[in-house]
Each structure stands twice: as structure tokens, then as C-alpha cells.
């Protein structure tokens, strides 16, 4: 689920919606409940003032022995009354005399205003008071209740103070619970949406896999047309494209098979006639030309048939495959250096990949005298390097050398053989695996060929 949200386009859209709508939802819930709680707190503060003034008058008319019993009877989880030696509302916390609640307290209390103290916590808005109370930890967790919201202190004739405190039901804001419930429901809704989106876009996964297989030259089955109408139209167009591509490849293969048959017949006839000619330089030259023509036809047919397309992919140990190829070429007398102390599973078409690597290694040996083969890997791709110490290639020809039948004069001698299809075939096979081949000249002389193959 988390990987889907991070990597897929629908997943990222859903994450953005969660963040945006979640912030909007949280802000809406906060504003609604905080405004509602602010009005409720103001009403409770007015009630505290009225209760404090009434309690002060009642205590004045009641014997001292009954004071504690009276205070215990009116104390609750929201209101706490006590007679103490010091005022709970310190002078530093005293509310301004022009505050409406202070004027109301002064009017209702029997004591002089100078003997009246009213402290109102700034918890009209919770976020502000929370920061302030963090700086005063003694107010956060009261031993007898929650967080104080307002305090009234009235000095009695005996010098003691009647302290009345309005307590919050909890030290957490009132909107925390509803906000968590709202966010939980929102997360549940988004989860359901994610599952629905994954179900709706599941055919896209099949379409992606089929397109990737076609890109690697593999044959695919017809994709079932399902999902929304737009998606069905896309899949129908993809199936038509797949059918046309297969028909094109099939027709081209048949055409090349026919050309191969038609060309080989006159070439065989010409070779027979040349064999019956009197011996001499002209006869040898003619046979040589016919041999070159036969080689060009065979190589061209092999290139255009794209044998890699006909081979099924399977998991192989790529390091072992390269090691086996190097051993075979070393047995033919080629100078190759390779460290095969690796194990590297890889999904590929091993016959065609071996052919591409053979072309690269043989080129390095023919034109540079030796080949150094190295393989590297990371999380995204595999890299196979084939290096030689030959004359290298002119920078302007590093890309042109991949064109069919291109053979470079000077640095690449024609006497080494071949018709200029080795690199073209190797790159075609690399592309069929979703990879790429790059050439670069080495600083100390020679050429480095890099074959990149994607992990997936």
C-alpha cells in the first residue's frame, strides 16, 4: 500500500488529496469546536463569578464550623471552592477592573473591590493558553482536577481568602477527540478510495506489462478489454497495434526468407560455374567475391530476422554466462581478462545476449589485442564493461559506428574481417532488453564499451 502511494501516479494524487483535504478538515473541526468551546467557557466563567459571590455571602451568614462542609458540597469536577491563607489569583494575574466579569464580581460581592481578585486564563483559544501553560507546568496538571480556566479570590473579614477555580474537564483541548474521529473517518474513506482506484486501474498494470514485453520483442496475448470506457478504448487500440506489429514482423520475416532463397540460388550457380573455370588469379578473385557476397547476405538476414525476438526470456546467472563466454573465446586463443567470482541472477534472452557480448569482446580482441571484461550492479541496472588498448575511435564516429555496414578506415582495419554489423546487432539486442550500449575512448588509449541492462 505505501509503495503504491509513493510510486504510482494515482497514489501520489491520493496523498496530495489526503494532505490538502486533511488540513482543511482539521482546520474546520478546530474552528467549529474552539468557537463553540469559547462560548461555553465564557458562560461557565460568568457562572463561576455568580457562584463565588453567592458563596461569599452565604459563608458570611454561616457558622465557621459549617464552612468546610458547605465548600465540599458545592465543589465538583468543574468548580472547586476552598478557604485558604493565600489568594489563588495573584496580583500579577489580576484581571483589569474594566473587564465585564470583574465588574460583575465587584457588583455581586460584599467585599470591597480592593479585596477582590479575578484571574481569567487566556484559554479563550486553546492553542495560545497551551503554549503559556507549558511555560508554567504547575498549571498543567492540577492535583484536584484539570487545567484552571478562571480563578476568583475574595478576601474574608478574618484575613483568609475564598478561592474559586473553574477547571477544564481535561488537560487536552475539547476539539482533540472530534478531530481524531474526523481524521480517522477521513483516512478510512481515503483507504477505500485507494482500493477502488487500484481495482479500477488494475487493467493498466496488464497493459503496462504487455507494452514492456512488446518493447523487449516478446510475443504477447490479447489483453482483455475491461474497466472504464476510456480504458477499454485504450486496450482495444493496443490490441490492434500488437496485431499490426506481429503481422509486420511476420511479413518481413517471410519476405527475407524469400530473398534469402532467391539470392542463394544464383550465388550457388555462380560458384559452381566459377569452380569449373581454369585456375588463376581471376578465378580466385571471383570465388573470393562470391564468398563475401554470401557472407553479407547471411549476416544481413541474421540482422533483419532479429533472432532475439524469437527467444523466450528466462532467469540466468549473468556472471556465469559471461564467464562461460570468456572461457570459450579464450579457448580460441583470444586474450581476455574477467573476474567471475560473482552471482548475478538476471531475466534475459541468454542466446541473443551471449551473441551481443561475443561481438563486443571479439571486437576488443581483434582491434585492441585483448579484452578486459568487468560487470557491476546497483539497484536500478547492470553494467558490463568491455575495454581494450587499441587505437580507439574518433569522437565524431562514436555514434556512427553503430550504423549497419559502417566500417571505419584507419583505426579499424578492413583486413580484420566482418562487414560492419557486429555493433549494430549488439545494440539491437541491447535495445530488445530495454538497455543501451555506449562507447567512449579511454584516457590512456583504447576503447571502453558499456552495456547497460535494466533490472526490470
Amino acid at each position: 500500500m505505501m509503495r503504491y502511494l509513493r510510486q504510482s501516479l494515482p497514489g501520489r494524487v491520493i496523498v496530495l488529496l489526503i494532505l490538502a483535504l486533511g488540513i482543511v478538515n482539521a482546520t474546520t473541526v478546530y474552528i467549529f469546536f474552539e468557537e463553540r468551546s469559547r462560548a461555553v467557557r465564557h458562560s461557565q466563567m460568568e457562572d463561576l463569578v455568580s457562584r463565588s459571590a453567592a458563596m461569599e455571602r452565604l459563608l458570611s451568614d454561616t457558622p465557621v464550623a459549617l464552612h468546610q462542609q458547605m465548600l465540599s458540597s458545592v465543589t465538583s469536577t468543574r468548580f472547586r471552592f476552598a478557604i485558604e491563607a493565600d489568594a489563588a489569583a495573584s496580583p500579577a494575574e489580576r484581571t483589569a477592573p474594566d473587564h465585564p466579569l470583574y465588574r460583575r464580581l465587584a457588583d455581586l460581592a460584599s467585599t470591597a473591590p480592593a479585596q477582590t481578585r479575578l484571574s481569567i486564563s487566556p484559554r479563550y483559544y486553546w492553542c495560545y493558553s497551551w503554549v503559556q501553560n507549558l511555560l508554567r507546568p504547575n498549571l498543567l496538571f492540577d492535583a484536584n482536577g484539570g487545567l484552571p480556566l478562571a480563578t476568583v479570590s475574595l478576601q474574608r473579614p478574618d484575613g483568609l481568602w475564598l478561592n474559586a477555580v473553574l477547571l477544564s474537564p481535561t488537560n487536552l483541548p475539547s476539539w482533540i477527540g472530534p478531530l481524531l474521529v474526523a481524521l480517522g473517518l477521513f483516512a478510512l474513506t481515503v483507504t477505500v478510495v485507494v482500493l477502488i482506484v487500484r481495482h479500477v486501474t488494475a487493467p493498466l498494470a496488464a497493459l503496462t506489462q504487455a507494452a514492456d514485453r512488446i518493447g523487449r520483442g516478446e510475443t504477447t496475448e490479447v489483453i482483455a478489454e475491461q474497466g472504464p470506457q476510456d480504458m477499454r478504448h485504450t486496450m482495444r487500440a493496443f490490441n490492434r497495434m500488437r496485431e499490426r506489429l506481429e503481422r509486420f514482423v511476420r511479413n518481413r520475416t517471410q519476405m527475407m526468407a524469400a530473398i534469402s532463397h532467391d539470392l542463394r540460388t544464383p550465388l550457388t550457380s555462380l560458384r559452381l560455374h566459377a569452380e569449373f573455370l581454369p585456375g588463376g588469379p581471376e578465378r580466385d578473385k571471383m570465388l573470393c567475391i562470391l564468398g563475401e557476397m554470401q557472407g553479407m547476405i547471411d549476416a544481413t538476414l541474421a540482422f533483419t530476422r532479429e533472432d532475439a525476438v524469437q527467444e523466450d526470456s528466462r532467469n540466468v546467472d549473468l556472471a556465469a554466462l559471461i564467464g562461460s563466454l570468456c572461457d570459450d573465446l579464450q579457448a580460441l586463443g583470444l586474450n581476455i581478462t574477467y573476474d567471475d567470482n560473482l552471482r548475478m541472477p538476471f531475466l534475459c534472452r541468454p542466446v541473443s545476449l551471449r551473441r551481443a557480448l561475443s561481438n563486443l569482446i571479439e571486437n576488443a580482441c581483434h582491434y585492441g589485442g585483448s579484452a578486459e571484461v568487468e560487470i557491476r550492479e546497483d539497484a536500478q541496472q547492470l553494467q558490463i564493461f568491455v575495454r581494450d588498448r587499441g587505437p580507439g575511435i574518433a569522437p565524431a564516429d562514436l555514434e556512427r559506428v553503430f550504423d549497419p555496414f559502417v566500417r571505419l578506415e584507419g583505426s579499424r582495419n578492413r583486413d580484420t574481417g566482418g562487414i560492419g554489423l557486429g555493433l549494430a546487432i549488439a545494440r539491437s539486442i541491447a535495445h530488445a532488453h530495454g538497455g543501451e550500449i555506449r562507447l567512449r575512448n579511454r584516457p590512456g588509449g583504447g576503447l571502453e564499451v558499456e552495456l547497460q541492462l535494466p533490472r526490470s
Side-chain angles (χ1 to χ4, degrees):
M1 175 68 73
M2 295 304 298
R3 182 179 180 183
Y4 175 79
L5 293 177
R6 289 197 309 268
Q7 298 183 356
S8 67
L9 179 60
R12 293 186 178 184
V13 172
I14 289 172
V15 169
L16 292 177
L17 289 177
I18 290 176
L19 293 177
L21 297 182
I23 292 174
V24 172
N25 193 19
T27 305
T28 302
V29 171
Y30 166 75
I31 293 175
F32 173 78
F33 278 91
E34 190 61 28
E35 287 296 330
R36 174 179 172 274
S37 299
R38 181 171 180 264
V40 171
R41 284 194 294 269
H42 190 273
S43 176
Q44 290 173 341
M45 290 176 183
E46 290 182 339
D47 191 18
L48 175 67
V49 168
S50 300
R51 289 191 183 202
S52 300
M55 180 58 64
E56 190 274 334
R57 290 194 301 268
L58 185 59
L59 290 175
S60 300
D61 300 333
T62 305
V64 176
L66 298 177
H67 284 182
Q68 190 60 41
Q69 183 178 355
M70 293 178 59
L71 293 174
S72 299
S73 64
V74 297
T75 297
S76 63
T77 56
R78 300 304 303 273
F79 297 95
R80 188 179 70 212
F81 294 88
I83 296 179
E84 298 171 330
D86 297 322
S90 64
E93 297 175 328
R94 187 171 179 176
T95 304
D98 59 347
H99 194 282
L101 290 179
Y102 189 88
R103 292 199 302 268
R104 178 178 175 82
L105 178 61
D107 293 340
L108 294 176
S110 60
T111 58
Q115 298 172 310
T116 302
R117 295 177 182 176
L118 171 62
S119 172
I120 300 177
S121 169
R123 291 186 91 254
Y124 281 111
Y125 288 100
W126 177 87
C127 58
Y128 175 76
S129 64
W130 179 255
V131 175
Q132 186 184 63
N133 286 317
L134 282 178
L135 303 177
R136 305 173 60 190
N138 61 309
L139 291 180
L140 278 178
F141 297 98
D142 193 272
N144 299 317
L147 189 67
L149 299 180
T151 303
V152 174
S153 297
L154 299 173
Q155 190 174 23
R156 295 182 47 74
D158 56 5
L160 299 177
W161 289 84
L162 171 63
N163 293 321
V165 182
L166 172 64
L167 301 171
S168 65
T170 176
N171 290 317
L172 297 176
S174 60
W175 48 266
I176 282 291
L179 178 61
L180 292 178
V181 173
L183 290 179
L185 293 175
F186 181 72
L188 179 62
T189 303
V190 170
T191 302
V192 174
V193 171
V194 171
L195 296 177
I196 294 175
V197 169
R198 291 189 65 179
H199 176 72
V200 172
T201 58
L204 285 179
L207 181 62
T208 302
Q209 294 176 359
D212 185 60
R213 292 184 62 188
I214 287 181
R216 295 197 303 263
E218 300 180 11
T219 58
T220 61
E221 302 294 334
V222 176
I223 300 178
E225 299 175 7
Q226 54 185 347
Q229 183 177 5
D230 294 342
M231 196 174 297
R232 291 198 302 270
H233 289 334
T234 302
M235 291 182 173
R236 189 176 301 118
F238 179 85
N239 286 330
R240 289 198 298 265
M241 180 195 69
R242 181 197 62 82
E243 182 181 357
R244 291 166 183 165
L245 285 176
E246 290 184 355
R247 185 168 59 246
F248 169 77
V249 173
R250 185 169 57 251
N251 292 341
R252 190 185 64 173
T253 302
Q254 293 174 353
M255 179 187 68
M256 296 308 300
I259 292 175
S260 173
H261 179 271
D262 292 344
L263 286 178
R264 282 173 177 161
T265 299
L267 281 177
T268 303
S269 178
L270 287 174
R271 181 178 290 275
L272 288 174
H273 283 82
E275 292 289 346
F276 288 104
L277 292 177
E282 293 299 328
R283 174 179 175 277
D284 295 340
K285 184 177 180 180
M286 184 178 296
L287 290 175
C288 181
I289 292 174
L290 291 174
E292 290 181 359
M293 292 177 62
Q294 184 68 49
M296 292 179 64
I297 292 173
D298 292 340
T300 303
L301 292 175
F303 177 67
T304 54
R305 277 199 308 267
E306 294 180 358
D307 296 337
V309 175
Q310 310 300 326
E311 185 185 357
D312 293 332
S313 297
R314 58 188 176 92
N315 272 309
V316 298
D317 187 344
L318 184 59
L321 185 147
I322 298 176
S324 173
L325 173 62
C326 291
D327 291 340
D328 293 343
L329 294 178
Q330 285 174 341
L332 298 177
L334 300 183
N335 185 8
I336 301 173
T337 303
Y338 174 64
D339 182 9
D340 59 351
N341 295 324
L342 298 171
R343 176 172 175 79
M344 200 168 294
F346 183 64
L347 179 65
C348 65
R349 290 182 289 278
V351 174
S352 61
L353 187 58
R354 181 185 172 96
R355 179 184 179 190
L357 292 170
S358 177
N359 288 346
L360 299 179
I361 296 174
E362 288 181 358
N363 278 350
C365 292
H366 291 159
Y367 303 128
S370 64
E372 303 171 10
V373 182
E374 180 186 0
I375 183 168
R376 301 177 187 172
E377 63 174 332
D378 55 33
Q380 286 77 34
Q381 64 181 3
L382 300 175
Q383 295 173 293
I384 303 172
F385 296 93
V386 180
R387 305 181 181 96
D388 64 48
R389 286 297 179 182
I393 295 178
D397 295 327
L398 287 176
E399 188 63 28
R400 190 173 69 89
V401 74
F402 286 105
D403 295 339
F405 305 109
V406 171
R407 289 184 50 81
L408 303 180
E409 297 290 347
S411 63
R412 300 287 175 168
N413 194 335
R414 281 185 172 273
D415 295 337
T416 57
I419 60 172
L421 283 176
L423 288 177
I425 293 175
R427 172 170 276 190
S428 176
I429 294 174
H431 288 172
H433 285 81
E436 185 57 85
I437 294 182
R438 293 182 174 86
L439 304 181
R440 64 180 67 92
N441 289 308
R442 304 179 67 182
L447 187 70
E448 179 182 78
V449 183
E450 179 186 358
L451 171 60
Q452 296 178 350
L453 297 173
R455 279 288 191 182
S456 58

